[in-house]
Amino acid sequence: MCGIIGILGKHEVSPQILDGLKRLEYRGYDSAGIATVNRGQLDLRRAVGKLINLSDALVHAPLPGRVGIGHTRWATHGGPSVANAHPHRAGRVAVVHNGIIENFRALRDELTTEGAQFSSETDTETIVHLASQYLEQGVSPIEAARSTLKRLEGAFALAFLFEGEEDLIICARRGSPLCIGHGTGEMYLGSDAIALADLTDRITYLEEGDWAVLTHDGAQIFDAEDRQTNRAMTRINLDTARVDKSGHKHFMAKEMAEQPGVLQAAMGCYAGPGSTGITLPPELDFSATDRLIMVACGTAHYACQVAKYWFEKYAGLAVELDIASEFRYRDPVLGPSNMALFVSQSGETADTLAALRHVKPHVAQVVSVINVPTSSIARESDVALPIHAGPEIGVASTKAFTAQLQVLALLALQAGLQRGVLDARDFAAHLEDLRTVPGYVAQALDREEDIRRLSELLSRARDVLFLGRGVMFPLALEGALKLKEISYIHAEAYAAGELKHGPIALVDKDLPVIVFAPFDGLFEKTVSNMQEVMARQGKVLLISDAQGLAHAGDVPYQLQMPSVPAFIAPIVYAVPAQLIAYHTALHRGTDVDQPRNLAKSVTVE
Ligand code: AGP
């Protein structure tokens, strides 16, 4: 996902903009650039690859000026190149943009016909040519920006900079987040508060459709109907916004290690020590719900897959599940007694947000489980439930996944109680099980050295298969995703019982097969499937507890997890899934925190 920053400063802004872009690196990018206005002159520098290349360009050709905009680009239209990097410029205007202009082809044709010369393959470049055209018609920069916004369709967060204007940045938000920072005689804008954490803790979040005129003295904000409006200024906690690796080699390592504390915090927020109940908003009432629809993407979707087992088992609640990018295009059947639940770490995933907007008019209640309470998904939900995981910077989601599971487990128990399926005794027992999660996750993390050794074997594999049954099947899916996204090894996950219906053809002596199988009611069946793999020389790694490993007999590779209640096993078994991927990636030397092609939050559909 692209990153945007802008500064109206009292000093040279290029160094601060570059620092802000470094704070946005976690979003994933493949090129970057900065534009400034100095003594009336608009100029820009752009570079492909990591920010060090832009920094070199600025050393060789400094970019003076006390007003500027910067951008990290995650390529959508047009590959990574200097020509496609932002800022884009036409005449007296430069723009940085996050999102997709869905009508860019029609605009490009129109502008080309009128003589515009395009120099990139991007959708963004149509924005600067439109604004430049308005300027040439003699309108003011503010009017040029406002008129340009009216012509755009799609999702964007963007910022305009104008030649000759050293006290002006115009920015707009439609479908992609954007916030304004308040300084002393300075003003800022950024894709999120993390980008501005070194500059200010006073943040105003633009609402959907807002656009704003920034000067050194402040911001005028206008809504989608161009009515001047006020948006609250909040003070953010700089400690959480200022992210660093705290001595770890990677953000992912730090965030995996944070899990016991994060899970403790999540538990503390909803069921503090000694409490006998779960504290949730009173309007959250599962007893009136006839069906729960859960929609998410990627790892968040796998959390929903786990939660489906819990809602059905402990609350007797019918659950429909789908990935967001498919959900709204299949004409889902929605009803006035349905509850829709959206899970998203960033709260800005475009597919998930679009699905939320699709269902909202048709269901009783929209609930979200998110990690960013100020995010779009949180703000558009009837009930938003934070997971309190703190900023998750590594592209591969780890602590957010286990925290999502912890909160979803609490919701399932609450639903069971409200629907009369769980009696007070069973509710209390399962709640106590959840209180043990942080400790068991810490024990699972202690197996890291064993996992590091086992991962060396995996790092030489061409393909890897993950298997699980029941609630362990979504864990297999999550393990395969983790391995794919940070080690670039092809990995697939199958329900263990499904293997014999085709995928077992893949099994040979070169294929590692990772099996998630705590000693539970499905263990024997899973072990049978595992035996089928071993009979064909598949290299099996069995992840189980002491009882399971003892029952399984001679398995080439084994990893022992603590023996835990079946209810919480999915949360604990997430840890080996994460560590296997992490250490395999280390063996392969890939970029663990910013894997190729990926963005931390995908704000385009
Ligand atoms: C998970 O490791 C990936 N980074 C990705 O699948 C992610 O879970 C997905 O894009 C959803 O993101 P969200 O939770 O911010 O909505």
Side-chain angles (χ1 to χ4, degrees):
M1 170 170 76
C2 304
I4 289 174
I5 185 166
I7 298 177
L8 292 134
K10 293 186 287 195
H11 308 285
E12 293 299 300
V13 294
S14 286
Q16 291 176 308
I17 290 176
L18 194 59
D19 285 345
L21 293 178
K22 285 173 185 166
R23 307 177 67 77
L24 288 168
E25 278 193 295
Y26 77 92
R27 300 161 74 95
Y29 71 103
D30 39 51
S31 60
I34 296 177
T36 61
V37 179
N38 181 54
R39 297 201 177 98
Q41 292 301 308
L42 173 66
D43 198 355
L44 55 89
R45 303 285 182 273
R46 300 180 292 181
V48 175
K50 294 301 184 186
L51 285 175
I52 189 68
N53 299 332
L54 179 61
S55 176
D56 285 352
L58 291 166
V59 167
H60 295 118
L63 199 55
R66 296 186 177 185
V67 59
I69 54 178
H71 187 268
T72 48
R73 178 177 184 248
W74 183 71
T76 53
H77 297 76
S81 67
V82 171
N84 288 336
H86 302 202
H88 284 284
R89 175 183 184 168
R92 292 180 287 146
V93 59
V95 161
V96 290
H97 165 228
N98 176 25
I100 286 186
I101 305 303
E102 294 184 352
N103 62 331
F104 88 95
R105 293 192 192 291
L107 290 173
R108 188 174 179 126
D109 293 346
E110 175 194 320
L111 290 159
T112 304
T113 306
E114 290 159 0
Q117 301 287 320
F118 282 80
S119 57
S120 80
E121 306 158 84
T122 68
D123 54 335
T124 306
E125 197 182 351
T126 55
I127 304 171
V128 283
H129 284 293
L130 268 179
S132 177
Q133 198 177 64
Y134 285 118
L135 281 179
E136 293 312 308
Q137 292 167 11
V139 302
S140 70
I142 294 175
E143 183 50 34
R146 193 190 67 81
S147 304
T148 299
L149 293 173
K150 299 295 181 199
R151 296 293 313 276
L152 304 180
E153 294 170 15
F156 53 78
L158 55 83
F160 296 89
L161 198 61
F162 296 91
E163 184 137 279
E165 298 291 340
E166 299 189 58
D167 189 21
L168 179 68
I169 294 178
I170 298 173
C171 60
R173 172 213 165 125
R174 192 191 304 170
S176 293
L178 197 62
C179 62
I180 291 170
H182 303 263
T184 307
E186 298 192 330
M187 288 294 287
Y188 320 106
L189 70 99
S191 297
D192 58 30
I194 290 175
L196 306 180
D198 274 349
L199 299 168
T200 182
D201 65 348
R202 292 178 291 154
I203 299 292
T204 297
Y205 291 91
L206 292 183
E207 299 282 350
E208 192 60 13
D210 285 358
W211 59 284
V213 177
L214 270 62
T215 65
H216 283 85
D217 298 332
Q220 285 182 301
I221 300 175
F222 301 88
D223 66 17
E225 286 69 46
D226 297 343
R227 295 180 300 244
Q228 187 157 356
T229 183
N230 288 315
R231 301 294 183 205
M233 181 174 71
T234 56
R235 282 194 180 272
I236 58 162
N237 176 343
L238 289 177
D239 294 337
T240 57
R242 257 201 205 99
V243 287
D244 60 39
K245 295 174 190 165
S246 305
H248 290 273
K249 186 173 180 184
H250 298 102
F251 280 111
M252 184 177 174
K254 173 195 171 194
E255 289 149 10
M256 288 190 289
E258 284 177 332
Q259 290 180 109
V262 160
L263 292 160
Q264 196 67 43
M267 207 55 201
C269 285
Y270 293 102
S275 66
T276 55
I278 300 172
T279 306
L280 287 162
E283 63 269 30
L284 187 60
D285 179 6
F286 288 95
S287 59
T289 297
D290 63 358
R291 185 165 57 121
L292 179 64
I293 299 163
M294 287 201 278
V295 180
C297 297
T299 287
H301 172 62
Y302 299 143
C304 293
Q305 285 204 17
V306 171
K308 174 182 167 74
Y309 288 91
W310 289 336
F311 278 107
E312 290 179 341
K313 178 180 178 67
Y314 298 111
L317 180 54
V319 173
E320 176 174 353
L321 207 56
D322 208 341
I323 52 175
S325 56
E326 287 294 318
F327 177 70
R328 66 195 178 104
Y329 296 110
R330 54 165 239 240
D331 296 321
V333 175
L334 305 168
S337 300
N338 297 171
M339 179 190 288
L341 175 60
F342 298 88
V343 178
S344 174
Q345 189 284 132
S346 64
E348 297 296 351
T349 298
D351 289 320
T352 308
L353 181 57
L356 184 156
R357 289 171 177 166
H358 178 79
V359 303
K360 189 157 185 173
H362 308 292
V363 297
Q365 199 169 46
V366 170
V367 180
S368 59
V369 171
I370 40 78
N371 193 31
V372 183
T374 55
S375 64
S376 303
I377 288 174
R379 291 172 355 173
E380 296 190 27
S381 300
D382 300 315
V383 178
L385 301 172
I387 62 172
H388 302 288
E392 185 177 70
I393 304 304
V395 164
S397 189
T398 51
K399 63 177 181 175
F401 177 61
T402 49
Q404 285 163 0
L405 288 175
Q406 187 87 349
V407 173
L408 289 167
L410 288 164
L411 290 180
L413 294 184
Q414 183 80 341
L417 199 62
Q418 287 181 338
R419 298 168 55 83
V421 174
L422 266 187
D423 63 28
R425 187 176 59 83
D426 287 345
F427 173 85
H430 293 313
L431 189 59
E432 283 316 301
D433 287 344
L434 281 177
R435 292 192 201 286
T436 66
V437 165
Y440 283 128
V441 164
Q443 289 181 42
L445 287 166
D446 288 343
R447 310 312 313 275
E448 180 160 12
E449 185 46 33
D450 293 342
I451 292 171
R452 189 193 61 75
R453 280 198 299 276
L454 288 164
S455 303
E456 204 281 326
L457 160 82
L458 290 177
S459 65
R460 299 193 296 273
R462 181 177 56 95
D463 304 287
V464 178
L465 204 51
F466 287 78
L467 301 180
R469 263 184 189 266
V471 77
M472 285 294 148
F473 172 39
L475 264 290
L477 289 164
E478 170 61 5
L481 173 61
K482 286 275 120 12
L483 189 65
K484 276 183 277 210
E485 66 175 334
I486 64 174
S487 75
Y488 313 153
I489 293 172
H490 171 249
E492 285 188 67
Y494 273 94
E498 186 62 11
L499 199 66
K500 54 189 176 296
H501 299 289
I504 201 166
L506 294 171
V507 174
D508 63 19
K509 63 180 177 49
D510 298 324
L511 181 71
V513 179
I514 299 172
V515 182
F516 290 91
F519 191 70
D520 59 15
L522 294 170
F523 179 79
E524 295 303 342
K525 288 203 182 308
T526 307
V527 166
S528 300
N529 303 137
M530 190 182 72
Q531 302 292 0
E532 292 157 10
V533 170
M534 289 166 57
R536 291 158 179 83
Q537 289 79 47
K539 283 190 286 198
V540 170
L541 163 58
L542 173 60
I543 303 175
S544 185
D545 46 42
Q547 257 189 313
L549 296 177
H551 274 74
D554 182 22
V555 180
Y557 303 95
Q558 303 183 3
L559 179 66
Q560 183 172 327
M561 284 291 109
S563 298
V564 301
F567 173 38
I568 63 170
I571 308 174
V572 178
Y573 279 62
V575 170
Q578 298 163 359
L579 287 172
I580 285 169
Y582 177 73
H583 284 287
T584 303
L586 288 191
H587 286 304
R588 288 171 68 95
T590 52
D591 186 338
V592 167
D593 283 333
Q594 296 169 31
R596 69 185 181 195
N597 306 342
L598 291 180
K600 179 57 184 170
S601 169
V602 185
T603 57
V604 294
E605 283 194 69

